[in-house]
Amino acid sequence: MKPYLLSLGAGLLVGVIYSLLNVRSPAPPTIALIGLLGILLGEQIVPLAKRLYAGEAVTAYLREDCAKHVMGRLPGDQDRNA
């Protein structure tokens, strides 16, 4: 819960700064969220390419490490130590 509150706080702070500077946010919320998804997926390209280049199987990586990074800890996730 703490990372979500920190993220919300950071967003609120940026919003206040934008308001004080009298500027608009750079993108509508839906477009910004799609951009963030692109960032998350883009971060996975280099590790995926390294595994492909090394001849390693990538399906386990996509299912485990990649999914956990992109999706975060989902509600009801029993594996709290990961």
Side-chain angles (χ1 to χ4, degrees):
M1 185 71 160
K2 188 176 179 180
Y4 295 104
L5 294 175
L6 289 173
S7 179
L8 177 62
L12 288 171
L13 178 62
V14 169
V16 168
I17 292 170
Y18 279 6
S19 179
L20 291 172
L21 295 174
N22 202 24
V23 296
R24 305 251 330 159
S25 62
T30 303
I31 293 173
L33 289 174
I34 291 171
L36 288 173
L37 177 62
I39 291 169
L40 284 172
L41 294 175
E43 286 177 339
Q44 302 309 307
I45 291 174
V46 173
L48 183 64
K50 285 181 181 179
R51 282 174 174 74
L52 285 171
Y53 183 74
E56 298 175 13
V58 296
T59 54
Y61 167 74
L62 290 173
R63 217 174 311 127
E64 295 298 322
D65 297 335
C66 181
K68 285 181 183 177
H69 179 76
V70 172
M71 299 300 292
R73 189 181 318 159
L74 298 174
D77 187 3
Q78 299 301 316
D79 186 16
R80 301 284 183 201
N81 295 328

